Amino acid sequence: MKVLILGGDGFCGWPTTLHMAARGHDVMIIDNLARRAADRELGCDSLTPIASLDHRLEAWKAEGHAPIAFESLDVARDYDSLVAVLRRFQPDAIVHFAEQRAAPFSMRSARHKRYTVDNNVNASHSVLCAMVEACPDAHLVHLGTMGVYGYGRTGGLEIPEGYIDATLSSAGETAQLEMLYPTDAGSIYHMTKTLDQLLFQFYAKNDALKITDLHQGIVWGTVTAETGSEGPFVNRFDYDGDYGTVLNRFLMQAAIGHPLTVHGTGGQTRAFIHIRDTVRCVELAILNPPARGERVRIMNQMTESHRIRDLAGIVSGMTGTPIHFMDNPRKEKAENDLRVSNSGLLHLGLKPTKLSDGLMQEVMDIAIRHSNRCDTSKIVANVKW
Ligand code: NAD
Ligand code: USQ
């Protein structure tokens, strides 16, 4: 298949690119390297030394693989170039990772809020619009987030995969309706994913585009079969207060002996998935497109739920690192339960990679190897909302 990866230089996009290329697909990347620019703005860097995208792609070709093409363009702004690439490449599938994905970064200032909305919503809308013009039979696979649902605000009710049966009542009359699960975003970043959902719903209905939206939990780990843990294909490892995600942060903090930074009581429960399962889930979604005219296919891309203080307890138990309960910089529920359906991807064949000492050790080993690259002043989250 011809697979176009938007955001193919990023944390999820790069391993997905290699995963699909290694399986014989004809893969092209579009990226504007905005993520690397955000690192420069924040004065931090991936803990792992990641090669430039050009170097990554040269090294891939040098190993005897079919070349992976790269177009440098801004999906949110360079509309005509995007249409031209789609017309030329004629992808079977477009995987859309190309959004600003850090909640704290999105809440830094008015500028960051506006950038995140402009970038994410325009990127998604431009792709949809360009598909109608250039490749209406292609399948769009978008990475959404579990954060569109909020995290378990309906008591013990399991969060379904996108849609919910609702009973509406008005003036004493009732009606049944299947609708998108009501959204409850906790940051401007998460908000953009709820707006994406509405765009997808419209374009599936109006233009019969084939769209899959994968509501992904927090990704942990950094290594897949293709990236390895060092060398030119090594994946990025974010540890800073904006882009670092919680479990990788705890493992990296333990590796350098920094107290584990639990926000508030740590009673927040979140969904998780290992990066090895991310790439597999995206492949499964690509291989199983909905038909034209079908509603947007929504699947929850997660394999397990954990309470943050329990994760800190596991990492502390493994390493003896103390836990620091700090004032929560975020506006979020102090405690929540979370039950999530993930039957869609399990049904397609996903074999979940669960939290294990071995996989956590793998992350810590990488962090230890590159601990000299860590700027400890960037660890504690400093964006408050
Ligand atoms: P990332 O920031 O590492 O990668 C995103 C990539 O998209 C970067 O390479 C960036 O340069 C590129 N990009 C951003 N805006 C662009 C634009 N306008 N034009 C072209 N390229 C652009 O993020 P990630 O962790 O790989 O996440 C990928 C997607 O998965 C995001 O949409 C994110 O919301 C979603 N997701 C990530 C996680 C996670 O834990 N990392 C969890 C759930 C969902
Ligand atoms: N947290 C801590 N200590 C830390 C970092 C985070 O206690 O050092 C807490 C946060 O307060 C929050 C939870 O851990 O309650 C998760 O935070 P996070 O930064 O790991 O994840 P989040 O901001 O939700 O965002 C990440 C990705 C985002 C993706 C989302 C999936 O950056 O792209 O959409 O996970 S989900 O959380 O399921 O919505």
Side-chain angles (χ1 to χ4, degrees), residues 166-170 173-177:
T167 304
L168 307 184
S169 58
S170 170
E173 294 179 326
T174 61
Q176 300 295 317
L177 185 70

Side-chain angles (χ1 to χ4, degrees), residues 101 145-147 151 189-190 218 246 249 261 263 330 332:
R101 69 103 175 130
T145 174
M146 287 298 304
Y151 308 99
Y189 154 69
H190 288 101
I218 299 170
V246 64
R249 271 165 64 76
T261 53
H263 295 168
R330 305 184 184 196
E332 58 186 3

